Amino acid sequence: MKVEPIRLTPTMVSRKLQLLDFIRAFYASHGVGPTITEMANALNCARSRIQDAVRKLEREQLVNRQPGKTRGITPISAHDEAVRQLQAIGYIVNPGRRELTAPTPPLLDLDDRGRLTIN
């Protein structure tokens, strides 16, 4: 099955998001991640740009990368994405014990001058 090149659309504001979409589509159809060369060919840009974008996606925890492995770039699972989003809004996630702790709201108080403070 051939994965068609993905064109930049108004909803994809960057090559990074275009690359993420390609990685997800490639992984869904082949079961393995694409190579740097395959990504560069699909997006019609230089390998160095792809490598930079992959590093950014990895920093943002949107892909997993296994250094030294040819097809070691894969999208994160739906479970990992859900955990990442919960942590981003302040939840404490303990997947080993299957626990989720809601963020504690800030404590509002008045100081000695009657000004509102957040603790």
Side-chain angles (χ1 to χ4, degrees), residues 25-119:
F26 191 95
Y27 187 80
S29 66
H30 293 88
V32 294
T35 64
I36 297 291
T37 302
E38 288 168 336
M39 290 183 270
N41 290 341
L43 274 63
N44 197 24
C45 61
R47 289 171 44 94
S48 60
R49 274 185 99 172
I50 295 296
Q51 289 168 335
D52 289 342
V54 167
R55 280 193 282 278
K56 288 177 186 175
L57 289 170
E58 184 183 21
R59 252 193 321 270
E60 294 173 11
Q61 298 178 347
L62 295 172
V63 297
N64 294 319
R65 186 174 71 90
Q66 298 173 357
K69 188 173 178 186
T70 303
R71 295 187 177 275
I73 300 166
T74 56
I76 63 169
S77 67
H79 176 268
D80 291 341
E81 174 65 13
V83 168
R84 187 184 72 77
Q85 287 181 4
L86 286 169
Q87 289 172 332
I89 59 173
Y91 281 85
I92 299 169
V93 180
N94 185 345
R97 295 182 61 185
R98 295 180 186 232
E99 290 180 341
L100 180 66
T101 307
T104 55
L107 182 62
L108 300 177
D109 199 5
L110 295 176
D111 65 6
D112 56 339
R113 293 184 176 179
R115 295 179 296 191
L116 186 64
T117 61
I118 300 174
N119 297 328

